Amino acid sequence: MFQKQKEPMNAAQVQPTWNELVKLERRLKRSKLLCRIVQPVGTVIFLLNLLLATVNFGQYLGGALMESYFAEMPILPAMVEHFPRGSLGGVIAFSICFAYLIPLAVCGAITAVFWLLDRRKHGDKIEPLRGTEAECAKALVYKAETVYELRRQIPQWSIFTETSILTALTALPIVFTLIAFAKAESPAVLEISLGCFALLLCLFVLFWVYAALFKVFSLLNALYYYSPSEWSLYEQYHRLDAYWESSDPHEFAKREENARLHREENARKCRKKTSDDLRDDEG
């Protein structure tokens, strides 16, 4: 699929483009800070809530057997004692709402506070761009470069560390129970076998289930600091740079001179390499 080429920049678009870049710069600065706050905070809350939802779901499915596993961590059963376990659909619906809505609501409140503080600091006022056409074009290019670098500095959040922690916390009571069975004078083979199966389930199945759940949460949480793609900002930078070159004769001449020197340097290196190769052949 071919992408339609954008029309070249013109003088009438200078001020609107400047306004958009200034607003985007403020937004990206806020997003850069928000990402470093809402993702860790939201992930910790999501991890704890998902752990409790897992305990409640496990007790609904496993009954007394799962209760004996989680009894090794006495705080968890007490925290989920009043969670609903009437039906499978009800447990799943409650688990999703409990795990997702609470951390997303907390992160939404944090985002709202930052937005209000930023709004109070800057408002809608933007200083107009003044100067000659060449000076305005140069200012646009520098601002576009700043915006692009800010977008690149927004970190990508990894979900596998949290997934591993949650999987380990889920498997820990099963490990404790297996150790207790092994120390018993007459260990129950069936219970040990069921415990080993549950441990394998935690390590090899729940890990990827948790990874998928964490990925969904991370994407939803990233909506609070949603930003344009790096590629679109990179294209914008080059479009504005082309406008600067076309509107500034001095910049155009300087670039032409740099290009000429670069071509001469490359030609000199090629001649030197060819000469060296000929001497090697003669030797």
Side-chain angles (χ1 to χ4, degrees):
M1 183 175 180
F2 294 98
Q3 185 178 4
K4 183 179 179 181
Q5 293 291 332
K6 294 183 178 180
E7 295 181 359
M9 184 80 174
N10 57 63
Q13 297 174 319
V14 169
Q15 189 60 48
T17 304
W18 173 260
N19 295 343
E20 292 176 3
L21 287 173
V22 171
K23 292 179 181 178
L24 186 57
E25 181 184 18
R26 295 172 183 174
R27 175 181 161 191
L28 289 175
K29 287 181 178 179
R30 185 172 68 247
S31 297
K32 179 182 173 182
L33 183 58
L34 273 174
C35 177
R36 300 178 186 274
I37 295 176
V38 300
Q39 283 290 17
V41 170
T43 298
V44 170
I45 300 175
F46 180 72
L47 187 150
L48 295 176
N49 287 4
L50 188 57
L51 177 61
L52 295 177
T54 300
V55 174
N56 184 60
F57 190 76
Q59 289 188 352
Y60 171 79
L61 292 180
L65 180 61
M66 294 300 295
E67 287 182 5
S68 66
Y69 291 149
F70 289 109
E72 298 294 335
M73 301 176 71
I75 297 179
L76 293 180
M79 295 180 70
V80 303
E81 183 179 356
H82 301 291
F83 283 11
R85 299 192 195 114
S87 64
L88 179 61
V91 173
I92 294 176
F94 171 78
S95 299
I96 294 175
C97 293
F98 181 70
Y100 281 94
L101 293 185
I102 294 177
L104 288 176
V106 172
C107 292
I110 295 174
T111 303
V113 170
F114 273 84
W115 186 85
L116 290 173
L117 291 175
D118 198 49
R119 181 82 174 178
R120 182 178 180 182
K121 179 180 179 181
H122 298 290
D124 294 327
K125 185 178 179 181
I126 297 177
E127 292 294 331
L129 190 59
R130 296 186 177 91
T132 63
E133 184 180 5
E135 291 172 344
C136 291
K138 181 179 179 180
L140 282 176
V141 171
Y142 284 178
K143 183 66 71 174
E145 183 179 11
T146 301
V147 166
Y148 173 69
E149 289 299 327
L150 280 172
R151 178 61 183 85
R152 290 187 60 193
Q153 292 169 11
I154 297 178
Q156 298 293 324
W157 192 257
S158 174
I159 50 91
F160 290 105
T161 301
E162 298 81 0
T163 301
S164 302
I165 293 173
L166 186 56
T167 303
L169 290 175
T170 306
L172 196 59
I174 303 176
V175 174
F176 288 155
T177 304
L178 289 175
I179 293 174
F181 284 153
K183 290 181 177 179
E185 295 182 359
S186 57
V189 177
L190 178 60
E191 291 181 340
I192 292 179
S193 300
L194 291 175
C196 290
F197 177 76
L199 181 60
L200 291 174
L201 182 69
C202 288
L203 296 179
F204 294 101
V205 177
L206 281 184
F207 177 86
W208 293 108
V209 173
Y210 287 147
L213 294 174
F214 267 104
K215 185 64 177 179
V216 172
F217 174 77
S218 179
L219 292 175
L220 291 174
N221 211 21
L223 294 176
Y224 290 125
Y225 54 90
Y226 176 77
S227 305
S229 67
E230 291 183 26
W231 179 248
S232 65
L233 296 180
Y234 183 75
E235 283 186 325
Q236 182 183 46
Y237 167 77
H238 279 282
R239 180 168 175 257
L240 295 176
D241 189 59
Y243 171 67
W244 180 24
E245 184 178 1
S246 66
S247 61
D248 190 343
H250 297 291
E251 182 66 19
F252 177 79
K254 184 175 71 173
R255 296 188 184 190
E256 286 292 309
E257 179 65 18
N258 290 337
R260 184 185 64 81
L261 294 175
H262 184 69
R263 289 193 300 269
E264 292 178 355
E265 178 67 18
N266 286 339
R268 185 185 64 81
K269 289 180 179 179
C270 289
R271 288 194 299 269
K272 184 177 184 302
K273 185 176 184 303
T274 302
S275 177
D276 292 341
D277 291 342
L278 290 175
R279 281 198 299 267
D280 292 340
D281 293 339
E282 292 175 356

